[in-house]
Amino acid sequence: MQTASFTGFIKAIFYIIAFYYVFRFLAKLFLPLIVKKVVEKAGQNMQQQQQQNNWQKTQNKEEVIYNPTNAKNPRETKKVGDYVDYEEID
């Protein structure tokens, strides 16, 4: 069975700090490139969806039918309640 030693603890702390600084350095190098690629890919996907959407709109032209009977009878507004005229009493 092994026991924990002070030198082992110091080595572990050193490895953690070294890993932290190496990770920060690599993130500064590669993170901007990765973000740039992700943004470009998202832009391409949006353009493809826009083109597909425009193509579907041209394929499915809907006819607009004008019904003149509805134009002669305008829609009636809803009546919520009765109007009551109040007078001031002296």
Side-chain angles (χ1 to χ4, degrees):
M1 178 182 256
Q2 294 181 348
T3 59
S5 66
F6 184 70
T7 57
F9 178 72
I10 297 297
K11 283 183 182 179
I13 297 295
F14 174 74
Y15 288 138
I16 290 171
I17 292 172
F19 176 76
Y20 173 73
Y21 281 108
V22 168
F23 182 76
R24 277 186 51 192
F25 177 73
L26 293 176
K28 284 182 182 180
L29 286 177
F30 295 113
L31 197 59
L33 297 173
I34 293 170
V35 170
K36 183 178 177 182
K37 291 289 185 182
V38 168
V39 169
E40 287 176 358
K41 184 71 173 173
Q44 288 175 354
N45 287 342
M46 286 177 49
Q47 285 179 353
Q48 288 176 354
Q49 288 177 356
Q50 183 74 23
Q51 289 173 354
Q52 288 176 355
N53 194 12
N54 287 339
W55 183 75
Q56 289 174 353
K57 283 183 181 179
T58 57
Q59 294 295 325
N60 298 330
K61 289 185 179 180
E62 295 181 13
E63 295 181 15
V64 177
I65 300 172
Y66 176 71
N67 192 355
T69 57
N70 290 340
K72 292 179 183 175
N73 298 329
R75 202 160 123 196
E76 191 174 318
T77 59
K78 293 182 181 179
K79 292 185 179 179
V80 177
D82 295 331
Y83 176 74
V84 179
D85 190 18
Y86 291 100
E87 293 182 13
E88 188 175 325
I89 300 175
D90 290 326

